[in-house]
Amino acid sequence: MQFARLFERVQEFAKSGVHKLRMVGLSTIHGVTLVIDLQDVTKTYRGGVQALRGVSLRVQSGEIFGLLGPNGAGKSTLVKIIMTVVRPTTLTGTVLGRPACTQEVLSQVGYLPEHHRFPQYLTGRQVIDFFGALAKVQRTERKARTEELLEMVGMRDWGNRRVTTYSKGMQQRIGIAAALINDPRLVVLDEPTDGVDPVGRREIRDMLLRIRAEGRTVLVNSHLLSEVEMLADRVAIINQGRTLAQGTIEELTHDSHRYEIDAINGPASIQTAVGEVTGMPSAAEPGLRTYVIPTRDPAVVQPAIDALRAAGITLTRVERARETLEDLFVRSVVDERGRAMPGAARGPGTPTAPPIVAPPRTPSTSTSSTSTPSTSTPSTEARP
Amino acid sequence: MTQTLAIFLDAYRDLNSRKLFWLAIGVSMLVVLIVGALGIDETGVSVFTFHFDSKFVNTLFFPRDLFYKMIFQNLGINIWLTWLAAILALISTASVVPELIANGSIDMMLSKPITRHRLFLTRWVTGLFFAGIQAAVFVTASFLVIGFRGGAWEPGLFLAIPVVIIFFSYLYCFCALMGVLTRSTVASLILTLVFWLVLFGVQKAEQFLNNGRIGSQMEVVAIEEAIEKRLEKNADADVDKLRMELTAERRSAERWSSGYWPAYALVTALPKTNETTEWLARTLVRAANFRRPANEDEGMRFFASARVKRKDFEQTVYDDAEERKGATWAIGSSVIFEAVMLGGCVWLFRRRDF
């Protein structure tokens, strides 16, 4: 009798699916599964160059995560540490639930490095097959999957040509296919659209969305902000070896929501619900003033509009605005004097602002663009 | 196993794409074909259908099989496999390590679930492929020529294949280390050739000192015998001059010995390219009924004298090599050097950030 009850409980547990996460040992935080959970990653190269000074990174399962930063910020070093190409000085955390930077993780990770170099004597098909074999994919599976992937990246008709005959875009496609040959749960792409024409970039973007739709997690390292803004569910901005900001674009730009009102011959300042707002005269159009009201609540703006209209002032524009990813990026990596902060450096480096880190979103509550930071999701209009 | 096979298949594709690989194989075959085109009979030699009478090169002096074996030994082993083919192999494979660790290439490899030491060592072994295939083609073709044209089927000939691979591996481990250190194909190739030249010089110096040591010791023994003989004939014979010669020769022998043993220690520590091929030549005498290799070192005559005949001296040097410079010394100690070099490579490769 007791055995029967125990059996029932085991069956219930198996049906619940909870055990799956526990079995693979993925980290969770606030109920969100983390594919990459790294803390305090530091890397000091020989000669004392500090590439990373305590980076933390949390990439959630099934998302496209953008890693941003200026040149020399430490992005590539971080990616290479995840892929065991570079050894960290210090590191705690996990990748796919296992200790980071270990061989056992790599069989479930696909990687396309920046400036990759395929053996020139191989065809596209052979490249995919070779890297599949290195990832311990068995021959029959490799063969079938190579065909699937060639089809997916649109290279089926070119698969038997040597990679030396390929354009940059074609090489990137083959690289993406090679990264996917082992059916990875995590795909790490370093500048996947670098050097690719706009049409090729769009195709690669579509591929990444398809990869995410298959349930894989994608970590994209890129300096093309517009690309990342279109693709990424969440981003991290790294500079001088530190994580400056991390979260959804919505979360990170939450405080920058504002309304802008353009008025012809408006007063120097107007009274609003959030206090007095000074209008900035337009340099392009004489007599035009722009009032910026820092709020995301349209109700707050209405009294100001009413007051201006009552005074007979003509309004030419009322627009809801917020920071773009580029604004956020520039704000994060530029110092008070407007100069770009240097990347990796010797010694302790200049102190930077405390990191902007948004708590991970909970998938079940990610519905509204006006929700609180802890439950918000990137605006759907940001996606292609 | 999947990974190892993939790396070997990749190495084959790499070799296959190189013109130099096919050129080397082609030249190997051509050399053997030319040897196969040579004929020998009682009156002289022939090349294809052209016959040349000779009083010395004919089957009365050389049995037919020995003629082809000598060509294999002198041309095949001493010149082709251990010099020209080895240089071609080095040129072809010097890029293996620098290309492995090149940016963009190494990232792809290290991001796969294969340990660094396994990746490096497997790639290194594939580099030996070139020398192996080249030696296998040449030796097999030579085996057929000696069999069909010379009438002697000598499977012992195939011993040359592993020995040539081992010989090449001495140089190739150094080449790999230079590749890891410099990341440059040209630099690692040049440094390896310089290293080979140094090895050649050190081994030649050791051989020279050994010849001097043996010659001097033989001279001492010969003088002692001469004194004994003279005293046997006449107990009151004047042997003062001989005794003075003996004292001087003993001093000379001590000097040769004191110079020789440090050189011997140095050669023991280093890989022995010359000694390995010489060991192969000596071994083929037993394994494939080759004639004992003639010592063509004209320097030998300097160590012969009125008391020490050149033939006796050469025999003693040969016996000394047989006794002291066997496979354990010639190959074993070289492999230890190789292991140290490869250990260094792997250590550097494992520690490096790419």
Side-chain angles (χ1 to χ4, degrees):
Chain A
M1 189 64 187
Q2 274 186 334
F3 179 77
R5 278 178 60 191
L6 180 67
F7 183 69
E8 274 176 21
R9 285 182 66 183
V10 169
Q11 274 193 319
E12 273 174 34
F13 180 64
K15 280 178 191 166
S16 72
V18 174
H19 66 291
K20 286 178 187 164
L21 287 180
R22 291 198 183 144
M23 276 172 73
V24 295
L26 289 175
S27 309
T28 57
I29 184 164
H30 301 302
V32 174
T33 309
L34 297 178
V35 167
I36 298 176
D37 183 12
L38 300 177
Q39 292 100 41
D40 192 31
V41 186
T42 65
K43 176 64 191 177
T44 305
Y45 285 106
R46 262 189 294 176
V49 176
Q50 287 184 306
L52 298 177
R53 303 160 193 237
V55 167
S56 294
L57 194 70
R58 282 178 172 159
V59 179
Q60 300 173 14
S61 179
E63 72 177 359
I64 295 180
F65 189 94
L67 199 56
L68 305 171
N71 293 335
K75 307 183 303 285
S76 287
T77 300
L78 181 61
V79 166
K80 285 182 173 189
I81 284 174
I82 293 169
M83 299 312 304
T84 74
V85 178
V86 167
R87 293 173 315 137
T89 307
T90 62
L91 175 143
T92 51
T94 58
V95 173
L96 291 166
R98 291 164 192 258
C101 305
T102 54
Q103 287 283 315
E104 52 190 28
V105 173
L106 296 177
S107 59
Q108 296 176 56
V109 183
Y111 176 47
L112 177 66
E114 187 186 11
H115 308 308
H116 53 75
R117 239 175 51 154
F118 300 130
Q120 298 192 342
Y121 44 86
L122 296 184
T123 64
R125 187 173 263 107
Q126 287 169 341
V127 165
I128 300 170
D129 184 76
F130 174 59
F131 287 109
L134 283 185
K136 293 183 179 172
V137 181
Q138 291 308 307
R139 195 163 175 269
T140 44
E141 192 187 339
R142 236 165 44 220
K143 215 172 172 186
R145 214 164 148 64
T146 298
E147 295 311 314
E148 274 174 39
L149 289 167
L150 280 172
E151 183 72 46
M152 180 196 141
V153 299
M155 290 289 288
R156 183 166 222 152
D157 296 338
W158 295 81
N160 289 331
R161 297 210 179 191
R162 283 198 180 189
V163 288
T164 45
T165 63
Y166 290 172
S167 67
K168 177 75 182 171
M170 290 161 93
Q171 291 198 10
Q172 291 298 89
R173 289 169 193 220
I174 288 293
I176 291 172
L180 293 172
I181 184 70
N182 56 332
D183 196 13
R185 292 163 63 197
L186 170 64
V187 183
V188 180
L189 305 171
D190 201 345
E191 305 285 4
T193 55
D194 192 28
V196 180
D197 63 40
V199 176
R201 281 212 293 269
R202 171 177 276 235
E203 285 171 354
I204 290 174
R205 277 203 308 270
D206 290 344
M207 266 178 236
L208 298 189
L209 293 170
R210 236 177 296 160
I211 293 168
R212 180 180 63 181
E214 289 171 354
R216 303 179 209 281
T217 307
V218 183
L219 173 65
V220 182
N221 176 21
S222 177
H223 64 268
L224 295 175
L225 301 175
S226 55
E227 298 281 329
V228 174
E229 191 160 20
M230 278 190 270
L231 276 174
D233 298 304
R234 296 197 316 123
V235 297
I237 297 175
I238 292 178
N239 194 28
Q240 292 191 312
R242 290 191 177 90
T243 314
L244 301 183
Q246 188 167 182
T248 64
I249 296 167
E250 172 61 29
E251 286 163 359
L252 299 178
T253 58
H254 180 262
D255 293 339
S256 71
H257 277 275
R258 61 190 184 268
Y259 276 86
E260 292 174 0
I261 304 171
D262 287 354
I264 296 169
N265 296 323
S269 62
I270 56 170
Q271 198 62 41
T272 71
V274 291
E276 191 171 294
V277 173
T278 305
M280 298 298 291
S282 166
E285 201 174 328
L288 191 74
R289 250 176 218 283
T290 301
Y291 306 92
V292 177
I293 304 168
T295 181
R296 62 188 303 150
D297 183 1
V300 171
V301 189
Q302 302 312 315
I305 295 171
D306 293 344
L308 288 167
R309 298 264 298 155
I313 291 167
T314 305
L315 307 183
T316 58
R317 181 176 70 99
V318 177
E319 191 176 5
R320 185 179 169 181
R322 71 168 170 90
E323 268 187 335
T324 61
L325 184 59
E326 188 175 323
D327 297 332
L328 171 70
F329 179 82
V330 171
R331 181 161 60 86
S332 302
V333 302
V334 168
D335 65 14
E336 302 79 28
R337 282 176 287 181
R339 293 180 309 194
M341 289 185 280
R346 288 165 191 269
T350 43
T352 51
I356 312 161
V357 181
R361 68 196 153 92
T362 310
S364 59
T365 57
S366 57
T367 50
S368 167
S369 62
T370 54
S371 52
T372 58
S374 61
T375 58
S376 65
T377 189
S379 165
T380 48
E381 66 208 21
R383 296 223 192 122
Chain B
M1 198 60 189
T2 307
Q3 293 171 319
T4 307
L5 284 176
I7 294 172
F8 269 88
L9 180 63
D10 180 60
Y12 167 72
R13 283 174 174 155
D14 186 10
L15 285 183
N16 193 28
S17 69
R18 288 169 197 253
K19 285 177 187 161
L20 196 58
F21 171 70
W22 291 109
L23 183 77
I25 296 286
V27 174
S28 273
M29 294 301 290
L30 191 68
V31 169
V32 178
L33 278 175
I34 290 170
V35 173
L38 293 175
I40 187 166
D41 56 26
E42 294 82 5
T43 56
V45 291
S46 61
V47 182
F48 294 108
T49 54
F50 303 101
H51 190 273
F52 304 96
D53 288 338
S54 171
K55 288 180 181 174
F56 304 106
V57 187
N58 56 49
T59 49
L60 300 175
F61 275 91
F62 298 101
R64 195 182 297 273
D65 65 324
L66 200 63
F67 174 72
Y68 291 103
K69 285 176 183 175
M70 278 176 63
I71 294 175
F72 175 75
Q73 193 165 4
N74 294 326
L75 183 73
I77 295 179
N78 293 347
I79 295 174
W80 178 246
L81 285 179
T82 54
W83 283 104
L84 300 178
I87 289 171
L88 280 178
L90 271 179
I91 291 170
S92 296
T93 56
S95 62
V96 167
V97 171
E99 276 180 15
L100 171 70
I101 62 175
N103 285 337
S105 167
I106 188 67
D107 305 48
M108 298 283 286
M109 305 291 262
L110 292 182
S111 65
K112 301 298 170 202
I114 182 168
T115 55
R116 286 192 178 199
H117 62 269
R118 191 170 154 216
L119 173 66
F120 185 87
L121 290 175
T122 312
R123 209 75 178 93
W124 182 80
V125 170
T126 63
L128 299 181
F129 234 33
F130 188 98
I133 291 173
Q134 202 164 294
V137 167
F138 185 81
V139 171
T140 307
S142 301
F143 173 77
L144 294 174
V145 165
I146 293 172
F148 283 116
R149 302 281 287 155
W153 297 94
E154 301 286 3
L157 215 64
F158 289 101
L159 182 70
I161 300 173
V163 174
V164 167
I165 294 173
I166 289 171
F167 161 86
F168 179 71
S169 71
Y170 303 159
L171 301 172
Y172 196 50
C173 70
F174 185 82
C175 186
L177 182 64
M178 292 304 109
V180 172
L181 289 173
T182 65
R183 291 182 171 216
S184 157
T185 301
V186 176
S188 55
L189 179 63
I190 290 172
L191 288 168
T192 306
L193 292 174
V194 169
F195 175 67
W196 193 1
L197 206 66
V198 169
L199 288 182
F200 181 77
V202 169
Q203 287 167 94
K204 281 291 170 196
E206 186 268 346
Q207 281 176 354
F208 176 79
L209 290 167
N210 193 34
N211 290 346
R213 181 184 70 92
I214 291 172
S216 196
Q217 281 174 354
M218 288 177 78
E219 192 74 29
V220 167
V221 172
I223 296 170
E224 283 172 348
E225 283 172 355
I227 292 171
E228 267 178 41
K229 269 184 193 168
R230 200 173 281 188
L231 288 175
E232 270 174 21
K233 281 183 186 171
N234 179 6
D236 299 326
D238 181 13
V239 289
D240 288 351
K241 196 180 167 191
L242 280 174
R243 284 206 167 110
M244 280 170 67
E245 267 185 58
L246 180 64
T247 311
E249 198 57 49
R250 275 182 178 152
R251 253 187 245 128
S252 171
E254 275 172 26
R255 275 201 299 275
W256 280 110
S257 283
S258 61
Y260 171 71
W261 291 111
Y264 179 71
L266 184 61
V267 169
T268 303
L270 291 170
K272 287 155 276 293
T273 47
N274 297 356
E275 302 289 355
T276 300
T277 50
E278 282 172 13
W279 175 83
L280 174 65
R282 289 199 302 272
T283 306
L284 286 178
V285 173
R286 294 189 298 273
N289 301 311
F290 274 48
R291 180 177 277 190
R292 207 194 86 185
N295 201 323
E296 289 168 356
D297 185 356
E298 278 305 304
M300 285 277 192
R301 67 191 165 88
F302 294 117
F303 300 102
S305 66
R307 293 192 186 94
V308 178
K309 288 179 185 168
R310 181 173 170 173
K311 203 177 167 188
D312 294 341
F313 172 70
E314 283 181 8
Q315 181 64 45
T316 310
V317 170
Y318 186 85
D319 293 343
D320 175 69
E322 275 280 83
E323 192 184 321
R324 291 192 306 118
K325 297 180 176 176
T328 313
W329 182 78
I331 297 175
S333 59
S334 301
V335 169
I336 291 172
F337 176 89
E338 193 174 321
V340 172
M341 286 276 128
L342 279 179
C345 290
V346 170
W347 186 74
L348 287 170
F349 185 70
R350 286 186 67 167
R351 285 177 54 83
R352 183 172 284 181
D353 293 323
F354 293 98

